[in-house]
Amino acid sequence: MLDSPEQRPPGRALLGGSFNPPHIGHLRLAIEVREALGELVDSLVLIPCGNPPHKRADSLLPFALRAEMTRAAVRGLPGISVSEEEGERQGYSYTWDTLSRYRERLPGRELYFVIGTPDFALLHTWHRGPELPKLCQFVVVARGEQTEEPFVEAARRLWPGVRGVAPVLPDSLCMELPGGGRVHYLPLPWLAVSASRIRERWLRQRNVDFLIPRAVDELLRVRHAEVAEHWKGDGMSC
Ligand code: ATP
């Protein structure tokens, strides 16, 4: 596993999300997790979801537009890129399938899947969620709450017998699963930004400067009619 990282080729960090739209919370998360993982990974990849089983689909912008905004958002950020693979698949996008493909493509390399504590606590509702540590190590970041308890509780509930081991990432917590596999908790500062709040503000024509990158703002402006049509599905009106 991670005991002698210098002998292993670098792994890859993956950050899945709907990116509807991508915002500064996503970008700071990507930058700081990339930094924390250091030489354990060669890069961090943002993966816009295709057809997520857990999100309301009516307010979700078309995949191509979310992917374009996400590419624009990360432009110029070293070591951070975007994968459009979930847009190429039919049916629901399951993290299990995406990670399985990465495992085939990057044999022998560790995958670090970045996730917020609320989503981590709901892993049992995901397709093969509790089995995901067979494919990746979770890097769990606090969202809102700034204590490790929700992480530890969720890990114990998901994998009874999980135990704390020496941390691998700076200032983090590491737990090992009884059947093998590791999950990490990384206490990063939380920015009180969410895509839903940005959608709501944008629809009300409120200012979203500094919440989203300029390039994303520009794309939303150019595609105004289409964006408004989808986001009104959130129950908002223009
Ligand atoms: P929505 O408000 O529509 O639910 P969101 O802002 O949560 O969207 P997602 O695309 O669903 O954005 O999030 C992708 C990933 O980014 C998730 O792991 C989520 O926990 C994380 N994330 C989202 N917002 C923040 C934030 N402000 N700070 C840190 N992580 C965040």
Side-chain angles (χ1 to χ4, degrees):
M1 302 282 291
L2 281 170
D3 297 321
S4 50
E6 66 285 349
Q7 292 164 8
R8 296 173 59 97
R12 182 92 29 105
L14 309 172
L15 169 58
S18 34
F19 304 110
N20 184 41
H23 55 68
I24 56 156
H26 299 133
L27 297 180
R28 288 305 314 173
L29 176 65
I31 290 168
E32 296 199 24
V33 170
R34 170 80 186 83
E35 273 175 5
L37 287 169
E39 293 183 355
L40 290 174
V41 295
D42 58 1
S43 65
L44 181 146
V45 185
L46 273 64
I47 310 179
C49 58
N51 184 10
H54 285 103
K55 290 250 177 182
R56 281 182 58 181
D58 43 4
S59 67
L60 202 58
L61 291 173
F63 178 83
L65 178 52
R66 287 182 291 116
E68 189 180 355
M69 289 192 294
T70 312
R71 279 199 315 273
V74 306
R75 200 161 291 136
L77 293 179
I80 298 179
S81 61
V82 177
S83 159
E84 300 191 20
E85 62 191 85
E86 289 203 357
E88 291 152 17
R89 298 209 302 265
Q90 302 295 318
Y92 282 134
S93 318
Y94 293 117
T95 301
W96 176 270
D97 296 339
T98 303
L99 288 174
S100 299
R101 274 155 218 243
Y102 268 92
R103 286 238 70 95
E104 281 163 26
R105 252 183 277 145
L106 302 173
R109 294 172 60 176
E110 206 65 64
L111 299 175
Y112 299 89
F113 192 81
V114 185
I115 186 170
T117 2
D119 290 327
F120 181 68
L122 289 174
L123 268 188
H124 58 285
T125 67
W126 291 25
H127 173 63
R128 305 187 73 170
E131 290 178 73
L132 284 167
K134 289 180 188 159
L135 303 176
C136 70
Q137 299 191 25
F138 279 103
V139 177
V140 183
V141 293
R143 189 159 182 189
E145 88 294 335
Q146 287 297 325
T147 71
E148 64 211 35
E149 269 109 57
F151 162 76
V152 174
E153 269 170 34
R156 288 198 175 128
R157 191 170 30 76
L158 283 157
W159 306 288
V162 70
R163 63 186 184 100
V165 294
V168 181
L169 311 179
D171 305 317
S172 71
L173 212 74
C174 180
M175 298 189 93
E176 202 161 71
L177 277 57
R182 286 177 180 182
V183 291
H184 308 265
Y185 171 74
L186 201 54
L188 293 178
W190 179 69
L191 293 176
V193 183
S194 71
S196 15
R197 180 153 186 274
I198 291 166
R199 293 196 293 276
E200 185 184 327
R201 288 188 66 79
W202 188 89
L203 279 172
R204 291 183 190 278
Q205 294 169 23
R206 299 258 162 85
N207 188 303
V208 290
D209 287 353
F210 305 108
L211 296 175
I212 52 177
R214 279 251 174 89
V216 172
D217 197 20
E218 178 61 15
L219 281 166
L220 292 175
R221 196 184 59 72
V222 170
R223 309 277 288 269
H224 187 281
E226 181 185 2
V227 174
E229 195 51 45
H230 281 89
W231 283 358
K232 273 193 263 176
D234 261 354
M236 305 298 304
S237 57
C238 266

